[in-house]
Amino acid sequence: MTDRKIALITGGSRGIGLSTALRLAEAGCDIIINDICDAEKAQPALDKIKAKGVNAYFYSFDVSNDEQVQKNVDKMIADHGKIDVLINNAGITKDGLFVRMDADQWERVIKINLSSAYYVTHAVIKHMMKARSGSIVSMSSVVGVHGNAGQANYSASKAGLIGLTKTLAKEFGSRNIRVNAVAPGFIQTDMTKDLANTDDYMKFIPLKRMGTPEDVAEVVKFLALDATYVTGQVLEVSGGLII
Ligand code: NAP
């Protein structure tokens, strides 16, 4: 077993997940990234993480499939002995006005963004309990706090992550496991690349720019590793956005 902390980041091969993996690697963690893509597609991300001087591993599975999650977390523990830090980051959008939102659109987003956090956390936390130590950060969103027209499914999933975060903080504090969430605003990634009228959003962002994945990663790293007396909190990373 390595002396370094091991961090698992779901959806870690690109976007905010990859930036978080790189930041935690800079802080000295060995890194496990998960993604639904195959190993070849994830290789550039692994190479970037390894260039920080730590070990990096990739496990391909769908976070919305409980069976796959359990099998892969078991394998991670068999391979590496522990998971010290869990970042529930994988997520998707399937936007549309509520009146036209079909059940599949609703359920897909809830399953990938929210049920996934139950599956992965449930599989990982028993090992953290045994170790009497652990830190979990889930990627919520400002729209999980404030709501957003056209994103009922996504907002509900991100609000659900906040409820999960606060509850797990209460249930697992006595085991020395901290559970927090980050709520990003508009961050430049593939998820937001097709957003129209981004100039309009600037009216509502005091810092007058979209965020970068690195802006978010810095806060995730703070909550995951440094904030040793912080649990059950939701930290907005939004340039001051008020919806
Ligand atoms: P992104 O660039 O679209 O990356 C999403 C990642 O999640 C990808 O690596 C993707 O894998 C992975 N993923 C999707 N479905 C998966 C599944 N079923 N199993 C495993 N991995 C899966 O998005 P991002 O902007 O970095 O967002 C990361 C997180 O931050 C998400 O939870 C998102 O909701 C949240 N967030 C983003 C923003 C923003 O403005 N960008 C704002 C607030 C919150 P593939 O590469 O295989 O597709």
Side-chain angles (χ1 to χ4, degrees):
M1 205 191 293
T2 173
D3 287 341
R4 292 198 191 101
K5 285 195 168 161
I6 300 187
L8 163 61
I9 299 108
T10 66
S13 77
R14 62 192 173 93
I16 293 170
L18 176 55
S19 289
T20 298
L22 291 167
R23 188 66 191 90
L24 292 174
E26 278 165 13
C29 295
D30 282 344
I31 303 293
I32 301 173
I33 53 170
N34 140 267
D35 222 315
I36 199 165
C37 65
D38 61 28
E40 198 184 338
K41 205 170 153 212
Q43 193 57 49
L46 274 188
D47 293 343
K48 280 185 197 160
I49 298 164
K50 283 180 187 161
K52 302 284 180 190
V54 300
N55 295 308
Y57 312 95
F58 173 67
Y59 291 72
S60 175
F61 61 94
D62 178 352
V63 288
S64 69
N65 180 317
D66 195 12
E67 207 179 306
Q68 286 184 29
V69 168
Q70 190 61 58
K71 206 172 85 192
N72 277 277
V73 170
D74 287 349
K75 183 153 176 15
M76 286 171 204
I77 296 294
D79 291 348
H80 312 294
K82 61 175 187 166
I83 296 169
D84 300 288
V85 173
L86 166 62
I87 313 296
N88 287 312
N89 168 76
I92 61 161
T93 52
K94 277 191 184 294
D95 297 348
L97 289 175
F98 184 71
V99 72
R100 283 193 227 111
M101 186 173 287
D102 63 31
D104 180 61
Q105 212 174 340
W106 171 267
E107 279 156 14
R108 195 81 200 111
V109 169
I110 296 293
K111 207 155 165 74
I112 292 180
N113 294 5
L114 177 59
S115 301
S116 65
Y118 160 76
Y119 301 141
V120 180
T121 305
H122 202 253
V124 167
I125 209 160
K126 56 188 182 222
H127 302 288
M128 290 180 168
M129 282 169 72
K130 264 187 226 148
R132 296 193 77 81
S133 167
S135 178
I136 299 169
V137 180
S138 293
M139 206 58 72
S140 181
S141 165
V142 287
V143 309
V145 181
H146 303 285
N148 194 26
Q151 291 196 304
N153 49 1
Y154 185 79
S155 304
S157 71
K158 295 300 181 182
L161 285 175
I162 293 172
L164 181 68
T165 295
K166 293 184 177 186
T167 301
L168 297 187
K170 289 182 175 176
E171 287 195 20
F172 293 99
S174 63
R175 302 294 184 114
N176 192 31
I177 299 169
R178 295 183 303 105
V179 190
N180 291 289
V182 168
F186 292 103
I187 310 300
Q188 281 171 321
T189 67
D190 290 345
M191 188 175 270
T192 51
K193 71 177 186 311
D194 297 327
L195 277 182
N197 305 324
T198 46
D199 284 352
D200 286 353
Y201 301 133
M202 294 311 142
K203 284 184 225 147
F204 304 104
I205 301 176
L207 290 183
K208 299 294 172 207
R209 65 174 177 89
M210 286 180 78
T212 63
E214 292 74 22
D215 289 326
V216 181
E218 190 61 34
V219 176
V220 177
K221 178 251 169 192
F222 166 71
L223 286 174
L225 299 180
D226 307 330
T228 48
Y229 198 52
V230 177
T231 196
Q233 303 305 304
V234 183
L235 196 36
E236 291 193 24
V237 187
S238 65
L241 176 74
I242 299 159
I243 293 178

